[in-house]
Amino acid sequence: MKNLRSKTLAAASAVSLGVGLAVTGGLAPAASAAGPDTTFLVLAPQGATTGKAAARVTAAEGTVVATYEQIGVLVVRSANPDFATDVAGAGVESVASTAGLGTALQEGETLEVSAAQVANAAADPTAEPLFGQQWDMSMIDVPRAHAVNAGRADVVVGVLDSGISSSHPDLASQIAKDKSASCLGGVTDTAEAAWNPTTSDHGTHVAGTIAAAVNGVGVTGVAPGVKVAAVKVVNDDGYIFPEAAVCGFLWAAEHGMQLTNNSYYIDPWELNCRNDARQRPVWQAVQRAIRYSQSKGVLHVASAGNSNYDLAHKITDDGSPNNGTPETRENLTNACLDLPAEVPGVVTVAAVGPTGAKSYYSSYGQGVIDVTAPGGDTRFRTQGVRSTLTDGILSTTFNPATKTNGWGYKQGTSMSGPHATGVAALALSAHPGMKPGQLASFLERTSVAQSCPEGVYNPVPLIPTGPHAYDATCSGGARNGFYGAGLVNAYHAVR
């Protein structure tokens, strides 16, 4: 898998987050030649209300579909081909069309555990039937942690992803349905069908790693005592648009979530450059949404990405956009960021395999990676079939074609992120009251430091694109570019 992305323009019920939906009215302006119906983010000046911006939207032949007054952001639809120019003026700081900014969620393949394997699973009778195949849980000391604290139900983790199967036997009791919603199109829909998965099991897999129940069925999550909320931001085509992510962060902030897991990146370019006129409004809107949610007590955990990219030395990006033909952008600077992983205050998570070494695909970077966690590392193939199946992460799955639940393996920093999120949920359960910054610091302090490997890291690759496709160099000491502060540890977090 390359990096983690998504796409969207789905319609949902017109409800904004806690402030009422602003729908403009009055006399229609003179109509211009209609173009395609397009979504825009319109930003009022920082700290200002959205009233003037909304009036300009109406005058520019646009319709406000969602108002995020808390951060001065409007989600707008318009068929006016000159909307971005016409809406500019007093009360509008910036505007951007999100057409073409859908980010593909590259989730890779799911290798499912068969019904026979589930039936014949041999594990400690006091544990879950498939626990013996969850090498990741033992690696981060989950069994010892559960003996102390398995999580509290008043800790709610928002899973911003493709939805969670509410019928899965390992998750049905774990979902905070009253806090779940779809954010497709930048507006919310709380109907259960809206936030269930339809074409992807990515969110179901992530949710199982965080909180699959200890119920004698399937697997266990890192924090089975906590609740997860489905916040659907990935549409049926497998894309996440910026307006959906902004909606998700605000939804989490206004609905009592203490943590969110974000196994994706925003913007089809791996790096969002603040000095790029089209990308800057996306950066501004996302940053405002994250800052606001942090002020409401939410800590965001994000995956570092699967491009084996040194995020501390951004020079060239030649694999983006991931929703079309890649272009080469050179002479980049640190004004270009991976969103949301590099937003200040977000915990950025890299991935390791069963040996504890950096996963071949995991992005890295000194001063960027905060912690690492199990993400899987199944590099070897024989005639296109993985020969190291159990080196992936086993969790809950949902088959969109058959509408059936199950268990299966995936790998990626999408899988390492929820391990760190689960440990943070355990920490908050054992030590309630920590603010986001305190919790992030605590997660780092309780991690187990991992040393850099000697020389250039060059694993046996999985279908390499060149002779040195996965070469990477680690820099730093106890805190370094591959592992950050270290491997998260559940037992240290609760004891």
Side-chain angles (χ1 to χ4, degrees):
M1 325 189 289
K2 203 179 182 298
N3 254 26
L4 305 165
R5 304 282 170 126
S6 343
K7 135 184 166 178
T8 266
L9 285 182
S13 62
V15 179
S16 64
L17 302 179
V19 294
L21 177 68
V23 179
T24 58
L27 296 176
S32 38
D37 199 23
T38 302
T39 297
F40 295 85
L41 291 176
V42 177
L43 280 66
Q46 183 75 51
T49 62
T50 60
K52 288 183 179 179
R56 293 200 66 84
V57 166
T58 302
E61 302 175 48
T63 300
V64 176
V65 297
T67 299
Y68 297 104
E69 190 69 49
Q70 309 97 313
I71 59 172
V73 173
L74 303 174
V75 180
V76 174
R77 298 283 292 177
S78 179
N80 175 5
D82 300 317
F83 176 82
T85 301
D86 292 349
V87 79
V92 173
E93 179 177 319
S94 60
V95 59
S97 162
T98 64
L101 293 186
T103 298
L105 184 73
Q106 297 188 356
E107 53 186 304
E109 59 191 308
T110 301
L111 299 172
E112 294 192 17
V113 175
S114 69
Q117 287 174 299
V118 174
N120 296 327
D124 183 329
T126 64
E128 301 297 86
L130 294 172
F131 181 77
Q133 298 177 45
Q134 290 186 276
W135 58 266
D136 48 317
M137 297 298 169
S138 296
M139 174 178 274
I140 60 172
D141 249 350
V142 165
R144 285 206 299 167
H146 286 182
V148 178
N149 193 319
R152 298 180 359 168
D154 61 345
V155 174
V156 180
V157 179
V159 179
L160 275 64
D161 214 295
S162 62
I164 302 174
S165 173
S166 61
S167 62
H168 198 292
D170 250 345
L171 294 171
S173 63
Q174 307 301 93
I175 301 172
K177 293 184 178 181
D178 61 327
K179 297 180 185 296
S180 296
S182 165
C183 269
L184 301 187
V187 295
T188 56
D189 185 345
T190 58
E192 188 167 336
W195 52 259
N196 261 260
T198 45
T199 60
S200 167
D201 70 343
H202 192 271
T204 298
H205 197 279
V206 164
T209 295
I210 297 169
V214 175
N215 58 1
V217 176
V219 298
T220 184
V222 175
V226 309
K227 298 293 184 183
V228 289
V231 184
K232 190 173 183 178
V233 295
V234 180
N235 75 356
D236 286 352
D237 292 326
Y239 285 77
I240 178 172
F241 282 85
E243 59 269 24
V246 169
C247 169
F249 293 131
L250 268 291
W251 179 264
E254 303 295 7
H255 289 81
M257 298 175 206
Q258 297 97 323
L259 289 157
T260 70
N261 186 87
N262 304 271
S263 290
Y264 58 86
Y265 58 83
I266 302 166
D267 198 328
W269 281 267
E270 183 156 3
L271 302 174
N272 178 286
C273 297
R274 288 172 285 177
N275 54 358
D276 183 297
R278 184 167 188 209
Q279 290 187 309
R280 181 171 174 76
V282 173
W283 157 255
Q284 292 174 310
V286 169
Q287 185 181 49
R288 287 187 192 184
I290 289 178
R291 280 181 176 173
Y292 177 79
S293 56
Q294 289 168 338
S295 75
K296 301 287 281 187
V298 186
L299 176 65
H300 304 288
V301 179
S303 301
N306 302 331
S307 297
N308 188 39
Y309 190 85
D310 186 352
L311 293 168
H313 297 92
K314 303 180 181 82
I315 301 172
T316 301
D317 177 10
D318 57 10
S320 302
N322 77 349
N323 63 353
T325 303
E327 304 169 10
T328 297
R329 294 193 299 176
E330 299 178 329
N331 303 314
L332 302 179
T333 69
N334 283 335
C336 298
L337 303 173
D338 186 321
L339 301 183
E342 290 190 87
V343 175
V346 173
V347 174
T348 308
V349 188
V352 298
T355 67
K358 171 189 169 306
S359 299
Y360 72 91
Y361 53 79
S362 181
S363 290
Y364 58 99
Q366 175 71 2
V368 177
I369 301 302
D370 294 308
V371 292
T372 194
D377 197 339
T378 63
R379 314 178 206 145
F380 304 100
R381 284 179 177 268
T382 302
Q383 295 181 342
V385 179
R386 281 197 186 111
S387 59
T388 50
L389 169 68
T390 54
D391 285 351
I393 302 299
L394 179 60
S395 186
T396 47
T397 61
F398 174 79
N399 187 319
T402 62
K403 308 298 182 189
T404 55
N405 299 298
W407 295 268
Y409 295 87
K410 284 182 181 288
Q411 71 170 357
T413 55
S414 277
M415 283 64 252
S416 62
H419 284 85
T421 303
V423 172
L426 286 180
L428 202 56
S429 298
H431 316 289
M434 282 191 283
K435 295 184 189 229
Q438 295 171 315
L439 181 56
S441 177
F442 186 79
L443 188 65
E444 294 180 15
R445 293 199 317 272
T446 55
S447 294
V448 179
Q450 309 289 302
S451 299
C452 279
E454 294 183 4
V456 175
Y457 177 69
N458 181 224
V460 176
L462 170 69
I463 311 180
T465 56
H468 305 291
Y470 300 112
D471 284 4
T473 300
C474 183
S475 59
R479 186 184 183 107
N480 57 63
F482 277 14
Y483 310 113
L487 182 69
V488 296
N489 188 280
Y491 178 60
H492 291 176
V494 300
R495 71 179 182 179

